[in-house]
Amino acid sequence: MEQPVLTIADLNALAAAARAQEKSGPAWSLASSDLNLNLVRLPPGDEIPGHINAEVDVVYLAVAGAGTIELGYAGGSMETHAMAPGGLFVVPKGLHRAIHAGEQGLVYLTCHRRRAGLMPRRAHKPHASDE
């Protein structure tokens, strides 16, 4: 049986490296047998558009910079919360969320239960006899 691997990460160092990058998106990732972690960098003005994650609860931890997170239930009102270093958000599945980077950009960590990757599937093409 394979031994689990211990990982120790310096979030401040990872955030500094992420802020030095030009690109938006995941700057560091880790997947264990149970968890997925992603350090995400959003440059100033970038956003993660509103969406609903119906599969897993997600923990968001703001690490550097600043921004906002909008949360709410489908069909209900949205609440906007400031994201600043040290801010922790435990967002249950089914909740609508959107993240917006402020003027300094935003670096945040996500953590959630590992889930299966998205698998492509072939679209059903109707046969002449199906029409």
Side-chain angles (χ1 to χ4, degrees):
M1 179 177 215
E2 228 178 276
Q3 288 289 331
V5 176
L6 171 66
T7 301
I8 299 172
D10 180 339
L11 285 179
N12 290 325
L14 290 171
R19 293 182 90 177
Q21 295 179 13
E22 298 282 327
K23 65 179 184 136
S24 182
W28 175 84
S29 296
L30 176 73
S32 74
S33 59
D34 292 333
L35 296 174
N36 279 347
L37 294 124
N38 293 290
L39 188 72
V40 179
R41 176 188 185 267
L42 296 179
D46 273 15
E47 66 178 10
I48 302 294
H51 65 285
I52 295 175
N53 173 346
E55 218 175 313
V56 293
D57 297 345
V58 179
V59 174
Y60 295 88
L61 173 64
V63 180
T68 59
I69 185 169
E70 294 176 20
L71 302 169
Y73 288 99
S77 63
M78 299 292 285
E79 293 181 4
T80 301
H81 302 275
M83 289 184 81
L88 180 73
F89 303 86
V90 180
V91 181
K93 62 186 167 195
L95 204 66
H96 186 273
R97 77 259 344 242
I99 298 175
H100 307 275
E103 293 176 5
Q104 307 166 8
L106 177 65
V107 178
Y108 62 93
L109 182 73
T110 66
C111 180
H112 58 78
R113 178 179 47 84
R114 189 168 177 172
R115 57 186 176 195
L118 298 176
M119 297 299 295
R121 61 181 186 181
R122 190 171 303 268
H124 173 71
K125 292 184 180 178
H127 292 57
S129 61
D130 291 344
E131 295 178 353

